[in-house]
Amino acid sequence: MTDTALETTPEETVPETLGRYRLAELMAQRFDLPVTADDVDELLARGELAEACRYKKWPVYSTAAALALEAGLIERTVTERTAWLEASLPLDEAAKRIGWHWHDLKRMGDEGRVSRRGDRYLLADVDRLAAEADGEQHITGKAAAEVLEIRHPVDWKYVEDAGWIEPAETYEQYVRGSRTRTLTVALYRLADVQALRDLPGVDWERLDGAPPKEQVARELSRRAAPSRVEPHRLMGPAPGPPNGVA
């Protein structure tokens, strides 16, 4: 902001420029409305206000331009913001509302499937997603194994090796205690994991008893992916020579 002041009345002067927070306070006082910095941001986004200059690398705005705006415009802006606050929730609370991980809800927002403004998400869209997009959540291999009631990573590794499922996305995560080493974490679409329950020829209940789960999973993988097994192994050992023949 600058030291130069704009004269408004003989008794009162205001700076020519102010930052968004102090400008909101000034507008709230002059228009007798609960104007906040978010309202200033909205007016900027609509082109009703513009950055005047920079003060210590921070943008500042003309107080004269702000006070010259129509009172009706300011009132509508404030009303829309308060209505949005009542009809929305922050990301973490919205995700908790429908039992999703915040990462999944944010992804839906990035894809334009739920209305959001800043870090707040429209409740009507959030509730709709809970029904329409159920199963599109991305879960870790450990969580996927829990869905199938098998062990992780032992049994889940055979599921992956058999090619029964592919990751929906991956991300890099730092190894605990290291600032340089990372490992790749795979995430799977929940609906794809659930669909494995109906995989032909796979008896998932056998994975919870004897013989050892590793052996059962290996056998299931062999049956479901015969192309990975050499032909002579599928047919059994080659017959030996007839008796008495060298």
Side-chain angles (χ1 to χ4, degrees), residues 1-3 16-20 44 50-62:
M1 67 192 73
T2 66
D3 294 331
E16 285 188 348
T17 57
L18 287 172
R20 55 196 290 269
L44 289 166
E51 180 181 324
C53 59
R54 293 262 167 168
Y55 175 74
K56 294 184 178 180
K57 298 183 179 181
W58 292 96
V60 291
Y61 312 95
S62 168

Side-chain angles (χ1 to χ4, degrees), residues 174-202:
Y174 282 106
V175 176
R176 181 177 297 180
S178 173
R179 296 183 178 181
T180 57
R181 295 177 54 202
T182 63
L183 56 84
T184 301
V185 178
L187 297 177
Y188 303 85
R189 185 171 174 266
L190 177 58
D192 293 339
V193 175
Q194 294 170 332
L196 291 175
R197 295 180 181 275
D198 301 322
L199 198 64
V202 178

